[in-house]
Amino acid sequence: MENDNDFNPQQSLALIESMINKAKDRFNENGHLYLLWGWTVLLCSITHFVFLKFDVMKEPGRIWMLTWLTVAYQMVVLSKRKKEERIKTYTDEIRGYVWLAFVAMMFIMIFLMAKNELWDRTYSMFLVLYGMPTFLSGVLLRFRPLKIGGLICWLLAIVSAYVSNDNQLLLLALAVIAAWITPGYLLRAKYKSETV
Amino acid sequence: MFKELDPILHSQLRLAVMSLLIGVKEAEFTFIKEKTNATAGNLSVQVQKLKDAGYVEVTKQFKDNYPLTTCKVTPKGIDAFEAYVKALQDYLKVGK
C-alpha cells in the first residue's frame, strides 16, 4: 500500500470500510472445543445411564471423572491457541468471559450441591446452565445453530421437570448433541470454508 | 467551512492501520502488514508516526524467543479517527 496523501474523501471512506471488514469478517471459531466437550458429555451421560440401568458399577457417577482429562486437554488447546493468536477482538474477549462465568457457576453449583447433599435435579440445573454460554456465544458469533442449541437446552430443562433423575441423563445427551456437537461440526465447516 | 483533515490520518497506509485497529482490541504487527500489503520498513515508519501522535500504543515483547510487536489504538486515536470520519462526511454532504 502506498503512503500517498493525494486521495479524495470517497477513497478515504472506501479504504476505511475495506480495512474494517478485513478485521471484522475473520471467523476464528473452528468448533474444536464444542466438539470436545459435546462428545465428552455425550459419552459420560450415555455410559452413566447404561451403568445405572444394568447395574454395572457400584458408583456409576465416577464415569464423570473423565471430564478432568478433557479439562487437561482443553488447557493444552487453549494455550496453543493463545500462542497462535495474532489479533484480539472485543468479541473474542467477551466470549471468553462468558465461558469463564459458566465454569465458575458450574463449580459453585456442584460445590453447593455436594455440601448440602442435594443431588436430585442436578441435571436440570446443568441444562439451565448449558443454555447460557451456548446462546450468548451464538449471539456474539452471529451463529444461529448455537442460539438454537441454547434454546433447546432451556426447553429440555423445563421438560426435565417431568422426567425421572435417571432419564434426565438422556436429556443431557440430547442437549449436548443439539447445543455443542451439531453446532461444533457446522462451525468447523464454516471455519474451513472461510479460511481456505 | 470545511474542517481541516487530520494530516496524520490523511495518508493511505496510516489510515489503513487505524481502520484495522479501530475494530479490534489489539493486533500483531505481522497481521497489520499482511492486511495492508505494506513492506515492513514502510509500515514501521508509519506506525511510529501514529505512535508519536499518541494515536496508537505499541508493545514490544518476546514470544517463543521471537520478537513480537503488538499495536492497539488509544482513546486519543479513537477521538481523532471519529473526527476524521466526521470531517469526511461533511465533505461528502457538501459534494452531493
Side-chain angles (χ1 to χ4, degrees):
Chain A
M1 187 174 285
E2 295 295 313
N3 185 32
D4 185 1
N5 296 18
D6 187 23
F7 61 124
N8 64 36
Q10 277 97 342
Q11 287 169 321
S12 279
L13 280 178
L15 174 67
I16 292 170
E17 196 185 346
S18 84
M19 295 314 288
I20 287 176
N21 284 337
K22 275 187 187 179
K24 190 185 75 183
D25 287 346
R26 129 202 176 286
F27 193 79
N28 72 338
E29 178 52 67
N30 60 12
H32 189 67
L33 291 177
Y34 289 94
L35 288 170
L36 175 71
W37 278 103
W39 281 107
T40 303
V41 175
L42 180 68
L43 181 77
C44 290
S45 52
I46 297 285
T47 312
H48 190 170
F49 178 79
V50 171
F51 282 2
L52 273 174
K53 286 288 162 193
F54 298 98
D55 215 3
V56 179
M57 260 174 91
K58 205 175 171 189
E59 288 186 63
R62 283 184 185 268
I63 185 73
W64 291 95
M65 299 298 264
L66 250 184
T67 53
W68 287 108
L69 274 180
T70 311
V71 169
Y73 177 71
Q74 178 178 0
M75 297 290 186
V76 175
V77 171
L78 287 178
S79 113
K80 197 169 162 243
R81 202 181 267 187
K82 201 169 165 53
K83 276 185 187 168
E84 287 168 357
E85 204 174 59
R86 296 171 66 212
I87 180 172
K88 259 188 208 154
T89 65
Y90 290 103
T91 310
D92 292 344
E93 192 179 45
I94 295 167
R95 211 152 50 87
Y97 280 121
V98 164
W99 283 97
L100 190 68
F102 162 73
V103 172
M105 288 162 82
M106 283 290 280
F107 271 107
I108 294 166
M109 200 191 73
I110 291 169
F111 166 75
L112 291 175
M113 284 179 157
K115 185 91 177 122
N116 299 305
E117 294 189 5
L118 284 171
W119 293 109
D120 198 31
R121 302 286 139 192
T122 311
Y123 306 117
S124 298
M125 294 296 121
F126 281 4
L127 288 168
V128 174
L129 287 183
Y130 284 1
M132 184 273 289
T134 311
F135 182 80
L136 290 179
S137 294
V139 172
L140 291 166
L141 289 169
R142 283 178 285 170
F143 193 66
R144 190 178 292 200
L146 278 174
K147 285 192 233 172
I148 296 171
L151 291 173
I152 290 175
C153 286
W154 289 330
L155 191 71
L156 290 172
I158 296 168
V159 172
S160 72
Y162 305 97
V163 175
S164 73
N165 220 26
D166 295 355
N167 288 337
Q168 281 181 20
L169 283 162
L170 296 179
L171 295 183
L172 206 60
L174 211 60
V176 291
I177 291 172
W180 297 345
I181 295 177
T182 309
Y185 282 115
L186 294 171
L187 281 166
R188 181 190 274 185
K190 187 173 156 77
Y191 180 79
K192 278 186 182 166
S193 73
E194 291 191 11
T195 49
V196 166
Chain B
M1 186 73 184
F2 288 127
K3 275 184 216 156
E4 189 74 24
L5 284 174
D6 184 344
I8 297 287
L9 293 180
H10 198 62
S11 133
Q12 282 200 27
L13 186 49
R14 289 196 293 270
L15 184 60
V17 172
M18 285 297 286
S19 307
L20 262 186
L21 292 177
I22 205 83
V24 301
K25 196 178 174 219
E26 59 183 44
E28 283 184 16
F29 184 83
T30 49
F31 177 85
I32 302 170
K33 181 175 163 282
E34 187 188 297
K35 296 294 173 190
T36 55
N37 289 324
T39 61
N42 192 13
L43 184 59
S44 280
V45 172
Q46 302 314 322
V47 167
Q48 186 60 45
K49 284 186 183 170
L50 290 169
K51 189 187 165 196
D52 292 343
Y55 292 178
V56 297
E57 197 182 298
V58 179
T59 313
K60 291 185 182 186
Q61 54 189 338
F62 281 89
K63 188 159 92 174
D64 296 334
N65 291 328
Y66 286 98
L68 172 75
T69 306
T70 47
C71 305
K72 71 188 278 192
V73 71
T74 62
K76 188 181 174 188
I78 294 172
D79 290 345
F81 188 82
E82 283 173 356
Y84 181 80
V85 172
K86 177 83 181 53
L88 284 182
Q89 285 167 341
D90 291 344
Y91 269 94
L92 292 171
K93 265 183 215 159
V94 174
K96 272 185 184 174

